[in-house]
Amino acid sequence: MPKHDLRDLSIEELEGLLSGWQEKPYHARQVFSWVHKKGISDFSAMSDLSDDLRKKLASRFFIGSLGLAKIFKSSDGTEKFLLRLGDKDLVEAVSIPSANRVTGCISTQVGCKFRCSFCASGISGFKRNLSVAEIIAEALFLKYKSSQKKLTHIVFMGTGEPFDNYDCVMKAIRIINSPFGLNIGARRITISTSGIIPGIKKLADEGLQVELSVSLHAADDATRDLIMPVNKIYPLKELIPACRDYFKKTNRQVTFEYIMIKGFNSDLKNAADLGKILKGMDSKVNLIPANPVKELKIEAPSDKEISQFKNALSASGINVTLRKPRGEDIEAACGQLRFSYEKK
Ligand code: SAH
């Protein structure tokens, strides 16, 4: 029988399985504690379980460890890990320390289908979805193997589109959020989407207090079409109402990410358009000066242009912040992650 990665299971599933083996369900908590709270991946080390149970678990499951292919350390404390999955595919995960938090930026797919023109992740195309166990393994890796040895927040802003791997991402979030797992509060977990409307609708019904970020990057369909092919399927004229509905249903603010690309989407007319489409919506705009990607010719506007844009948005009543790029010197900033390492 092929073995499964134990981290694919929720605590309820593991309890059910143990009951089926005529074992006490509370052993599931012990196993979870070893795996998620201590980062142990060897059943024989689980010293509060009987020998028998350890053997039984080991005969059915494994706890795969991610191989470290490469580590990049930024002068600002950010660490980027290139991680090798069981089948040798590579993903990137980033640990970003700041004042009193450590944020893990996690990938959800190997490669990406969406081919946004400013982003490195889609350059080599799409390979596959990550499993629940692999997503959790990234979080565990960041917690136990980074210099910080700490993980307080998670953003699904690594490679891939979380809503294109919806079920695995949701299950992984529930396990990470569980008091028996990493116990990271839902409000400290952010899902970032390129604007997959069915995903936004489904999320509204999950009853999870996670943060939702939508990658907007343009305030009109013609402009967004040019940089985000997904806009042809889920155009702004439908995406923005879907975000308004999300707020109505959940009472949770949506954050709109807006990459500022020099000479493309950053003049005062763009700011006015953005103010117009978001008018009256309880939301936030996060401006991100475009990060350079070698293969793609994009540049951030000048500081002056950025602050003019920000002030104009602010003046039209929009709640706006400017994101400070982190890990730029190691290509760990937003949109700079790519799975192929030969290309470096
Ligand atoms: N697919 C999801 C999550 C991954 S991207 C999404 O699209 O939201 C995470 C964030 O990085 C998104 O807001 C994305 O648009 C942004 N990003 C991509 N390339 C970038 C670049 N070159 N500079 C700045 N941000 C970038």
Side-chain angles (χ1 to χ4, degrees):
M1 209 174 9
K3 290 191 193 182
H4 294 283
D5 195 312
L6 189 99
R7 290 161 307 181
D8 275 325
L9 300 188
S10 65
I11 189 138
E12 295 80 13
E13 287 169 333
L14 186 55
E15 283 168 350
L17 186 114
L18 290 171
S19 300
W21 289 355
Q22 317 302 328
E23 295 276 359
K24 298 268 185 303
Y26 74 82
H27 292 312
R29 293 185 185 191
Q30 295 169 305
V31 174
F32 255 61
S33 173
W34 285 110
V35 175
H36 297 269
K37 299 208 185 289
K38 300 192 185 91
I40 297 292
S41 53
D42 179 2
F43 291 107
S44 64
M46 301 182 181
S47 54
D48 54 359
L49 302 179
S50 71
D51 245 8
D52 234 28
L53 181 53
R54 286 188 236 176
K55 284 199 186 111
K56 222 185 231 166
L57 285 167
S59 70
R60 292 277 302 274
F61 295 101
F62 64 93
I63 302 163
S65 53
L66 294 172
L68 177 58
K70 213 162 177 176
I71 175 170
F72 304 82
K73 294 190 183 204
S74 164
S75 52
D76 68 13
T78 301
E79 287 177 322
K80 175 169 84 166
F81 300 94
L82 186 62
L83 301 172
R84 188 170 282 112
L85 304 165
D87 59 6
K88 307 281 180 272
D89 280 335
L90 296 164
V91 283
E92 286 170 314
V94 187
S95 164
I96 310 160
S98 55
N100 41 19
R101 52 170 78 177
V102 179
T103 303
C105 176
I106 286 188
S107 298
T108 54
Q109 298 182 311
V110 180
C112 185
K113 290 175 195 165
F114 291 83
R115 296 192 180 275
C116 299
S117 68
F118 45 80
C119 180
S121 295
I123 293 175
S124 318
F126 173 75
K127 183 101 185 266
R128 67 176 179 87
N129 279 332
L130 294 187
S131 66
V132 174
E134 287 169 332
I135 294 170
I136 290 176
E138 286 181 72
L140 292 171
F141 188 97
L142 293 178
K143 168 135 187 189
Y144 297 107
K145 303 281 172 64
S146 65
S147 310
Q148 300 293 328
K149 301 277 180 291
K150 192 173 156 190
L151 186 64
T152 63
H153 291 70
I154 288 184
V155 294
F156 286 95
M157 292 188 182
T159 306
E161 166 53 48
F163 286 162
D164 191 43
N165 186 11
Y166 188 92
D167 293 341
C168 287
V169 170
M170 285 307 144
K171 187 170 178 186
I173 288 176
R174 288 205 153 86
I175 295 173
I176 288 169
N177 177 223
S178 154
F180 305 109
L182 279 169
N183 197 16
I184 297 179
R187 292 175 192 198
R188 295 175 166 207
I189 301 175
T190 301
I191 300 179
S192 180
T193 179
S194 59
I196 312 291
I197 294 174
I200 295 172
K201 289 195 169 145
K202 267 209 252 176
L203 182 67
D205 293 325
E206 293 283 349
L208 265 175
Q209 300 208 306
V210 291
E211 299 295 326
L212 175 65
S213 270
V214 174
S215 296
L216 212 55
H217 312 329
D220 65 88
D221 278 317
T223 308
R224 198 166 187 261
D225 275 347
L226 294 174
I227 50 172
M228 299 182 73
V230 69
N231 197 60
K232 301 223 165 74
I233 308 167
Y234 303 117
L236 283 180
K237 63 174 185 296
E238 292 166 26
L239 177 59
I240 298 299
C243 294
R244 289 184 189 271
D245 288 347
Y246 178 87
F247 179 77
K248 264 190 225 139
K249 215 169 197 172
T250 62
N251 212 28
R252 300 197 61 76
Q253 252 189 6
V254 176
T255 299
F256 292 101
E257 309 286 340
Y258 194 97
I259 304 178
M260 304 204 62
I261 305 171
K262 186 176 172 175
F264 182 74
N265 63 357
S266 323
D267 65 19
L268 292 176
K269 161 87 170 62
N270 302 129
D273 288 347
L274 187 55
K276 240 178 260 163
I277 62 169
L278 300 183
K279 199 173 165 67
M281 189 182 337
D282 197 345
S283 62
K284 263 185 293 199
V285 171
N286 199 359
L287 300 176
I288 315 166
N291 291 312
V293 174
K294 256 179 265 150
E295 298 85 337
L296 312 168
K297 289 189 198 80
I298 58 160
E299 252 181 274
S302 67
D303 289 350
K304 189 171 160 216
E305 280 171 284
I306 294 173
S307 67
Q308 280 173 344
F309 189 97
K310 184 169 178 262
N311 294 341
L313 262 186
S314 222
S316 62
I318 305 287
N319 185 359
V320 56
T321 51
L322 178 62
R323 188 196 285 170
K324 209 169 99 207
R326 299 291 308 271
E328 272 179 307
D329 52 341
I330 54 167
E331 294 192 4
C334 267
Q336 296 187 310
L337 303 185
R338 71 207 54 216
F339 79 89
S340 164
Y341 127 85
E342 297 75 44
K343 295 235 165 67
K344 284 220 159 74

